Amino acid sequence: MFRRTLSASLVTAIGITGPVLADPILLRFSHVVAEDTPKGLGAHRFEELAEAYTNGAVDVRVYPNSTLYGDRNELEALQLGAVEMLAPSLAKFGPLGISEFELFDLPFLFVDIEAVHMLTEGPVGRALFDTLEPRGITGLAYWDNGFKIMSATRPLRVPDDFAGLPMRIQSSQVIAAQMEALGAVPRVMTLSETREALETGWVEGTENAPSNMLSQSIYEVQPYATLSNHGYLGYAVIVNSAFWNALPPDVRSNLVRALDEATDYANSIAAAKNAEAITLIAQTGTTELYELTPDERAAWVAALLPVHERMRQRLGDKLVDVARSTLGLPDLASP
Ligand code: LMR
């Protein structure tokens, strides 16, 4: 931990000759995943850079794996100032009364990660951050995890395989609609509850990025996984606005610099961490990993595309239209 030294003039004024230390500004960064994941590593990189660039004026403490706050209470803790920074999944803003981030949960919306960045790095990304301000939250960056795979106690090859299957989901109504479109039964629960719920049979399957499937030991209780890449998982790095706005301007700009670099780093390792997770899961032999055939994939797409129209009202016509035109997709109303 670094300490901020008082200015030389202040030291002289109060007649102290040795170095005088002031308390650093504490920045608590809480998240729900393991350290060896794209988000966990990004948070750690931010901690190192923020402390270095501010010369120790800021003391960043990262709390991974829901050790400080979990999915159920972290947003409220941020609003109350009990924690300064979070990076929740974009699927988790609904309980705050903001449904628009669930745009990113639409199945088969993105052809690749560059398409995601066309939204996060443009007007859509900024407009979504604007919705946070009235809640006392400031959005600073978008971090990727990657594309999700499906896992279960039975093989998932065609939509009919999902019939009646209880599936753990994040708290997103778009993801709930996605599971219902497949014939599954969505059950919302926190990430920290998921492994146990799968073990006891309360849910029999789930979706997630491979890095979470591995680091939460979900694969141990899921004999089948389909490398469907049907949806995106990413994060919004957010801060308590009152904390952020009260920072000395030089400290704030150094934190922005640290976060910009941590963002580049997190986004640059995300795909490799997920590819590595798939390899490691395959090596354990617990889970049969399945690639969809082109026909099977077409059947998933046909079953899931109607979710875009069904969720249009929840997400807002304007947002959906702007997102689709940014991505070069045809208007939903056209045939
Ligand atoms: C989940 O709850 O499954 C994920 O959103 C967790 C995360 O932050 O990656």
Side-chain angles (χ1 to χ4, degrees):
M1 186 204 306
F2 299 86
R3 308 220 119 210
R4 189 162 39 145
T5 48
L6 290 182
S7 71
S9 55
L10 180 58
V11 169
T12 313
I14 56 180
I16 302 171
T17 49
V20 176
L21 303 175
D23 280 341
I25 299 162
L26 180 61
L27 191 161
R28 291 160 291 189
F29 185 169
S30 173
H31 67 81
V32 302
V33 297
E35 291 182 273
D36 190 22
T37 57
K39 178 161 61 181
L41 293 167
H44 183 61
R45 179 63 63 97
F46 171 72
E47 174 185 9
E48 286 176 343
L49 294 173
E51 293 185 348
Y53 291 164
T54 63
N55 283 322
V58 177
D59 174 15
V60 178
R61 293 191 198 163
V62 179
Y63 298 87
N65 250 327
S66 311
T67 46
L68 188 60
Y69 294 102
D71 284 323
R72 213 165 270 123
N73 53 11
E74 66 173 16
L75 283 166
E76 194 183 350
L78 185 77
Q79 287 179 299
L80 292 172
V83 62
E84 286 73 34
M85 184 177 268
L86 305 173
S89 153
L90 301 175
K92 292 179 181 167
F93 287 87
L96 206 57
I98 305 175
S99 50
E100 288 89 343
F101 284 92
E102 293 177 15
L103 173 75
F104 289 90
D105 299 328
L106 286 173
F108 296 113
L109 179 64
F110 302 109
V111 288
D112 53 26
I113 207 75
E114 283 72 37
V116 174
H117 295 167
M118 287 167 77
L119 297 189
T120 53
E121 291 169 12
V124 168
R126 282 195 298 278
L128 291 175
F129 278 165
D130 287 346
T131 67
L132 297 171
E133 288 293 337
R135 275 95 173 165
I137 297 173
T138 298
L140 296 179
Y142 290 97
W143 284 4
D144 294 324
N145 189 322
F147 290 94
K148 294 177 284 188
I149 65 176
M150 291 276 193
S151 68
T153 49
R154 59 167 102 134
L156 300 172
R157 297 184 179 176
V158 291
D160 281 352
D161 294 332
F162 286 85
L165 196 63
M167 298 288 282
R168 179 269 169 174
I169 62 164
Q170 305 176 74
S171 56
S172 157
Q173 290 195 25
V174 170
I175 300 178
Q178 168 202 275
M179 291 302 185
E180 282 162 3
L182 290 167
V185 180
R187 291 193 172 145
V188 174
M189 66 192 63
T190 68
L191 182 65
S192 58
E193 292 164 341
T194 301
R195 167 76 166 70
E196 197 183 336
L198 285 164
E199 198 167 0
T200 60
W202 170 238
V203 285
E204 291 176 42
T206 188
E207 59 160 27
N208 221 313
S211 55
N212 283 339
M213 293 270 185
L214 175 73
S215 56
Q216 299 293 321
S217 306
I218 288 171
Y219 69 96
E220 289 175 0
V221 288
Q222 296 280 266
Y224 300 96
T226 299
L227 307 180
S228 47
N229 295 327
H230 58 280
Y232 171 74
L233 174 63
Y235 310 109
V237 182
I238 56 178
V239 283
N240 174 294
S241 305
F243 164 81
W244 187 247
N245 296 331
L247 288 173
D250 61 318
V251 169
R252 195 166 48 234
S253 62
N254 279 317
L255 291 182
V256 168
R257 180 177 161 216
L259 188 61
D260 283 349
E261 288 179 32
T263 299
D264 288 345
Y265 170 72
N267 291 351
S268 74
I269 60 164
K273 287 307 290 180
N274 281 311
E276 176 189 288
I278 289 174
T279 304
L280 291 172
I281 292 171
Q283 281 168 3
T284 67
T286 57
T287 311
E288 186 185 300
L289 298 175
Y290 184 72
E291 293 266 11
L292 294 172
T293 65
D295 282 353
E296 287 164 348
R297 187 175 163 83
W300 283 51
V301 172
L304 290 175
L305 278 191
V307 173
H308 292 216
E309 182 60 49
R310 212 168 297 145
M311 288 292 112
R312 192 181 170 87
Q313 205 181 344
R314 175 167 177 81
L315 300 173
D317 282 335
K318 194 164 159 237
L319 177 67
V320 172
D321 290 344
V322 171
R324 290 184 73 87
S325 83
T326 308
L327 295 172
L329 298 172
D331 192 276
L332 268 182
S334 32

